[in-house]
Amino acid sequence: MINTIIFDFGNIFINLEKEATIAEFKKLGLDGPNEELLVMNDLFERGKISEQQFIDGFNKFIPNADVHDIRKAWNAVIGEFPLYRLEFLQMLSNKYRLFLLTNTDAIHISRFEHMAGISFFSDFYQCFEKVYYSFEMGMRKPEEEIFNHILKKHDLSPKRTLFIDDKKENTDAAAALGIQVWNLKVGEEDVVDLFDKKIL
């Protein structure tokens, strides 16, 4: 019997517009991500480099873009957070222990909070016993240690814990530790379909 649910954030609650970010960077002269920028993103999501260092990484490839342009392009990925998902989460919070675990960075979280407004994001955060951001933890999914950290810190039983994420490598890593998982298929499924999955 599941008593705890750990949720990813992007494409589970908030919609991600990945093509929009690619398009915005293209306007600035960057033709898609490259190996160096992917490494920078990994470090930024671990909190290992500062926002300025991250933006400087882009300046190497698009020297004519200013900080505002780069931040705007980077944030184009942040889409809508439908109210019905928050209402569903609030209902769940009365029945289960809830946690948020997301690979993200300080720029994206700041943008989400600004777009959503204090009332909305406060209601969202209040649904969780604890919110875990990779950039504050110094580690990322799908690393085993990130799941073990939460299980141990909150004394969670893997077999009574459900992890929901849209990336298969993340749910596979959690499943390997005995955690129950739902690899949500974006565009085909919605987090509010949870009870239809017959997992709980």
Side-chain angles (χ1 to χ4, degrees), residues 63-179:
N64 295 326
D66 63 26
V67 172
H68 173 76
D69 292 334
I70 293 168
R71 195 181 282 119
K72 182 184 171 197
W74 185 244
N75 279 330
V77 72
I78 305 295
E80 182 193 9
F81 187 147
L83 178 60
Y84 71 85
R85 289 184 187 150
L86 174 60
E87 292 170 341
F88 178 71
L89 187 66
Q90 288 171 322
M91 180 270 292
L92 285 178
S93 69
N94 296 319
K95 303 175 181 179
Y96 300 92
R97 296 179 70 184
L98 304 182
F99 297 87
L100 190 73
L101 174 62
T102 179
N103 290 347
T104 190
D105 60 70
I107 297 176
H108 281 162
I109 292 304
S110 176
R111 178 60 178 162
F112 155 63
E113 292 179 353
H114 178 76
M115 282 177 68
I118 191 165
S119 175
F120 189 97
F121 77 69
S122 295
D123 286 348
F124 175 59
Y125 291 151
Q126 281 169 14
C127 292
F128 301 102
E129 197 169 313
K130 176 79 175 163
V131 170
Y132 284 104
Y133 293 140
S134 62
F135 74 92
E136 293 177 339
M137 298 178 76
M139 48 184 134
R140 295 172 82 245
K141 297 175 290 183
E143 293 161 4
E144 185 178 303
E145 64 179 326
I146 203 167
F147 297 105
N148 280 331
H149 175 83
I150 296 174
L151 292 173
K152 187 176 177 184
K153 185 166 178 65
H154 300 282
D155 195 24
L156 306 179
S157 163
K159 66 175 186 245
R160 300 191 69 190
T161 300
L162 173 65
F163 174 57
I164 301 173
D165 197 293
D166 64 313
K167 289 191 170 66
K168 192 170 185 301
E169 63 264 31
N170 294 339
T171 52
D172 284 351
L177 298 173
I179 299 169

Side-chain angles (χ1 to χ4, degrees), residues 15-84:
N15 296 329
L16 297 183
E17 311 290 346
K18 294 177 182 175
E19 295 304 315
T21 279
I22 292 169
E24 287 299 315
F25 274 117
K26 208 161 205 172
K27 289 179 194 172
L28 299 177
L30 183 66
D31 196 16
N34 58 48
E35 199 59 43
E36 193 171 327
L37 289 174
L38 291 172
V39 169
M40 292 287 288
N41 179 50
D42 182 89
L43 291 170
F44 194 38
E45 285 192 346
R46 293 174 191 273
K48 303 296 186 190
I49 59 172
S50 68
E51 180 177 328
Q52 189 57 57
Q53 288 172 305
F54 181 65
I55 286 170
D56 287 346
F58 279 99
N59 275 135
K60 179 178 175 182
F61 300 99
I62 39 175
N64 295 326
D66 63 26
V67 172
H68 173 76
D69 292 334
I70 293 168
R71 195 181 282 119
K72 182 184 171 197
W74 185 244
N75 279 330
V77 72
I78 305 295
E80 182 193 9
F81 187 147
L83 178 60
Y84 71 85

